Amino acid sequence: MDKSLVVSEIAELRSQIATWRKEGQRIAFVPTMGYLHEGHLSLMRQARTLCDRLVVSIFVNPTQFGPNEDLSQYPRDFDGDLAKIRSVGGDLVFFPSNEAIYPPGAQTFVEVTELTQVLCGVSRPVHFRGVTTVVSKLFLIVQPDVAIFGEKDFQQLVTIQRMTKDLHFPIEVLGGSIVRESDGLAMSSRNAYLDPDLRMAARCLSRALREVRARFEAGERDAKVLRDTAYEIVSSTSGAEVDYVDLREPSTLQIVEGEAKETDRLFLAAYLGRARLIDNAPLGGACGL
Ligand code: PAF
């Protein structure tokens, strides 16, 4: 496998970025943890249309995994990832070691306090602190003009947008649409954990989103009725155990009560065996469901 795109040293990455900047080129950045699928590639294609150069990072960030989570089993396919990044026109793959990102004795973290207390923050209490810390480091190392994050991890996207504003990073943070399998399941590296029965059961997430959107389209506006419709579909699916089903306002992530609007978003998380899957969609408007 041709590894000419790959840079592991921060100094080497900075020198390449400085050369591009001197030439007046704009840089887009897509951070990943590898094991790339079509969802990641669509973010890269989007990034490619916005800038002259595309930098992708592959780093399985230990600080965003809790002690009982899947860090050691997180799926990896470095050679496959490189081929995919090359196929969408990536210019550079940043593949740092743990020690490069977290120098020995590291004790500095970045934390967004409120947006991270709800939804995934409840069952994954250290997760977002790990994400915002590593993304800050990557932003400072790569210094892109634009960075793109998938809307499947919508809470992560709004948290990073908040952090970018609060810390005055001169970076435009954009969301990329969720890419789905033909039966509606949102693409995720963790879908690899599903056996055939659980893979079938996992369809309950997109089914719940579709049903709630259909009810909204048909005129239902009661936030509780809409939320309970989704809860009923996921909780009655054999093999799925609900973590949360919430209807929330998309920028503050406050719970919606009373009358729902089309921009309000339904957020779902469920355990299917050892996989914890998440999905979300707005009540109205186009969203690929
Ligand atoms: O979404 C992910 O893959 C990760 O949370 C990210 C943004 C690459 C940080 O490790």
Side-chain angles (χ1 to χ4, degrees), residues 28 43 62-63 89 91 105 156 161 191 212 250 274 280:
L43 303 181
T63 63
D91 294 290
Q156 168 172 280
Q161 284 172 329
N191 293 349
V212 170
R274 70 190 178 101
N280 70 88

PDB file of all heavy atoms in Angstrom, residues 28 43 62-63 89 91 105 156 161 191 212 250 274 280:
ATOM      1  N   ALA A  28      -9.324  22.217   4.043  1.00  0.00           N
ATOM      2  CA  ALA A  28     -10.476  21.590   4.721  1.00  0.00           C
ATOM      3  C   ALA A  28      -9.981  20.395   5.521  1.00  0.00           C
ATOM      4  O   ALA A  28      -9.012  19.740   5.143  1.00  0.00           O
ATOM      5  CB  ALA A  28     -11.507  21.130   3.694  1.00  0.00           C
ATOM      6  N   LEU A  43     -18.472  13.228   3.792  1.00  0.00           N
ATOM      7  CA  LEU A  43     -17.929  14.450   4.418  1.00  0.00           C
ATOM      8  C   LEU A  43     -16.690  14.910   3.650  1.00  0.00           C
ATOM      9  O   LEU A  43     -16.477  16.111   3.441  1.00  0.00           O
ATOM     10  CB  LEU A  43     -17.532  14.192   5.878  1.00  0.00           C
ATOM     11  CG  LEU A  43     -18.601  13.652   6.832  1.00  0.00           C
ATOM     12  CD1 LEU A  43     -18.015  13.480   8.231  1.00  0.00           C
ATOM     13  CD2 LEU A  43     -19.815  14.569   6.869  1.00  0.00           C
ATOM     14  N   PRO A  62      -8.162   7.920  22.796  1.00  0.00           N
ATOM     15  CA  PRO A  62      -8.489   7.162  24.022  1.00  0.00           C
ATOM     16  C   PRO A  62      -9.310   7.947  25.032  1.00  0.00           C
ATOM     17  O   PRO A  62     -10.106   7.354  25.762  1.00  0.00           O
ATOM     18  CB  PRO A  62      -7.101   6.809  24.599  1.00  0.00           C
ATOM     19  CG  PRO A  62      -6.134   7.728  23.938  1.00  0.00           C
ATOM     20  CD  PRO A  62      -6.722   8.125  22.616  1.00  0.00           C
ATOM     21  N   THR A  63      -9.166   9.271  25.080  1.00  0.00           N
ATOM     22  CA  THR A  63      -9.834  10.017  26.159  1.00  0.00           C
ATOM     23  C   THR A  63     -11.349  10.141  25.965  1.00  0.00           C
ATOM     24  O   THR A  63     -12.049  10.580  26.872  1.00  0.00           O
ATOM     25  CB  THR A  63      -9.235  11.436  26.339  1.00  0.00           C
ATOM     26  OG1 THR A  63      -9.463  12.181  25.137  1.00  0.00           O
ATOM     27  CG2 THR A  63      -7.757  11.389  26.646  1.00  0.00           C
ATOM     28  N   GLY A  89      -9.911  11.953  -3.184  1.00  0.00           N
ATOM     29  CA  GLY A  89      -9.023  13.094  -3.439  1.00  0.00           C
ATOM     30  C   GLY A  89      -8.416  13.713  -2.188  1.00  0.00           C
ATOM     31  O   GLY A  89      -8.089  14.909  -2.199  1.00  0.00           O
ATOM     32  N   ASP A  91      -5.562  14.865   0.315  1.00  0.00           N
ATOM     33  CA  ASP A  91      -4.180  15.272   0.032  1.00  0.00           C
ATOM     34  C   ASP A  91      -3.218  14.810   1.111  1.00  0.00           C
ATOM     35  O   ASP A  91      -2.029  14.649   0.848  1.00  0.00           O
ATOM     36  CB  ASP A  91      -4.103  16.807  -0.059  1.00  0.00           C
ATOM     37  CG  ASP A  91      -4.882  17.312  -1.254  1.00  0.00           C
ATOM     38  OD1 ASP A  91      -4.430  17.074  -2.382  1.00  0.00           O
ATOM     39  OD2 ASP A  91      -5.971  17.888  -1.058  1.00  0.00           O
ATOM     40  N   GLY A 105       2.588  12.938  30.661  1.00  0.00           N
ATOM     41  CA  GLY A 105       2.250  13.896  31.709  1.00  0.00           C
ATOM     42  C   GLY A 105       1.113  14.850  31.334  1.00  0.00           C
ATOM     43  O   GLY A 105       0.750  15.732  32.124  1.00  0.00           O
ATOM     44  N   GLN A 156     -22.358  16.020  19.118  1.00  0.00           N
ATOM     45  CA  GLN A 156     -20.932  16.320  18.945  1.00  0.00           C
ATOM     46  C   GLN A 156     -20.763  17.556  18.059  1.00  0.00           C
ATOM     47  O   GLN A 156     -19.949  18.452  18.352  1.00  0.00           O
ATOM     48  CB  GLN A 156     -20.239  15.108  18.311  1.00  0.00           C
ATOM     49  CG  GLN A 156     -18.831  15.386  17.828  1.00  0.00           C
ATOM     50  CD  GLN A 156     -18.118  14.130  17.377  1.00  0.00           C
ATOM     51  OE1 GLN A 156     -17.619  13.383  18.195  1.00  0.00           O
ATOM     52  NE2 GLN A 156     -18.043  13.884  16.067  1.00  0.00           N
ATOM     53  N   GLN A 161     -19.239  23.170  17.563  1.00  0.00           N
ATOM     54  CA  GLN A 161     -19.536  24.541  17.092  1.00  0.00           C
ATOM     55  C   GLN A 161     -19.492  25.522  18.269  1.00  0.00           C
ATOM     56  O   GLN A 161     -18.945  26.629  18.160  1.00  0.00           O
ATOM     57  CB  GLN A 161     -20.889  24.579  16.378  1.00  0.00           C
ATOM     58  CG  GLN A 161     -20.783  23.973  14.984  1.00  0.00           C
ATOM     59  CD  GLN A 161     -22.105  23.783  14.273  1.00  0.00           C
ATOM     60  OE1 GLN A 161     -23.137  23.544  14.919  1.00  0.00           O
ATOM     61  NE2 GLN A 161     -22.099  23.849  12.951  1.00  0.00           N
ATOM     62  N   ASN A 191     -21.722  -0.393  13.487  1.00  0.00           N
ATOM     63  CA  ASN A 191     -22.639  -1.374  12.889  1.00  0.00           C
ATOM     64  C   ASN A 191     -21.919  -2.707  12.676  1.00  0.00           C
ATOM     65  O   ASN A 191     -22.563  -3.752  12.580  1.00  0.00           O
ATOM     66  CB  ASN A 191     -23.189  -0.878  11.544  1.00  0.00           C
ATOM     67  CG  ASN A 191     -24.104   0.330  11.711  1.00  0.00           C
ATOM     68  OD1 ASN A 191     -24.489   0.666  12.832  1.00  0.00           O
ATOM     69  ND2 ASN A 191     -24.437   0.991  10.615  1.00  0.00           N
ATOM     70  N   VAL A 212     -42.305   9.248  13.085  1.00  0.00           N
ATOM     71  CA  VAL A 212     -42.546  10.527  13.763  1.00  0.00           C
ATOM     72  C   VAL A 212     -42.609  11.650  12.722  1.00  0.00           C
ATOM     73  O   VAL A 212     -43.461  12.550  12.809  1.00  0.00           O
ATOM     74  CB  VAL A 212     -41.451  10.790  14.822  1.00  0.00           C
ATOM     75  CG1 VAL A 212     -41.536  12.202  15.351  1.00  0.00           C
ATOM     76  CG2 VAL A 212     -41.602   9.788  15.954  1.00  0.00           C
ATOM     77  N   PRO A 250     -32.580  22.172  18.298  1.00  0.00           N
ATOM     78  CA  PRO A 250     -31.291  21.720  17.767  1.00  0.00           C
ATOM     79  C   PRO A 250     -30.050  22.516  18.175  1.00  0.00           C
ATOM     80  O   PRO A 250     -28.953  21.969  18.106  1.00  0.00           O
ATOM     81  CB  PRO A 250     -31.494  21.815  16.249  1.00  0.00           C
ATOM     82  CG  PRO A 250     -32.593  22.791  16.063  1.00  0.00           C
ATOM     83  CD  PRO A 250     -33.481  22.669  17.254  1.00  0.00           C
ATOM     84  N   ARG A 274     -23.807  -5.465  22.139  1.00  0.00           N
ATOM     85  CA  ARG A 274     -22.778  -4.582  22.692  1.00  0.00           C
ATOM     86  C   ARG A 274     -22.645  -3.275  21.915  1.00  0.00           C
ATOM     87  O   ARG A 274     -21.854  -2.403  22.287  1.00  0.00           O
ATOM     88  CB  ARG A 274     -21.438  -5.299  22.789  1.00  0.00           C
ATOM     89  CG  ARG A 274     -20.773  -5.591  21.472  1.00  0.00           C
ATOM     90  CD  ARG A 274     -19.580  -6.505  21.694  1.00  0.00           C
ATOM     91  NE  ARG A 274     -18.935  -6.839  20.447  1.00  0.00           N
ATOM     92  CZ  ARG A 274     -17.818  -6.262  20.013  1.00  0.00           C
ATOM     93  NH1 ARG A 274     -17.237  -5.317  20.707  1.00  0.00           N
ATOM     94  NH2 ARG A 274     -17.279  -6.629  18.860  1.00  0.00           N
ATOM     95  N   ASN A 280     -30.709  10.485  14.569  1.00  0.00           N
ATOM     96  CA  ASN A 280     -31.508  11.697  14.823  1.00  0.00           C
ATOM     97  C   ASN A 280     -32.021  12.238  13.502  1.00  0.00           C
ATOM     98  O   ASN A 280     -31.471  11.924  12.440  1.00  0.00           O
ATOM     99  CB  ASN A 280     -30.676  12.751  15.559  1.00  0.00           C
ATOM    100  CG  ASN A 280     -29.609  13.350  14.676  1.00  0.00           C
ATOM    101  OD1 ASN A 280     -29.850  14.319  13.967  1.00  0.00           O
ATOM    102  ND2 ASN A 280     -28.409  12.760  14.679  1.00  0.00           N
TER     103      ASN A 280
END
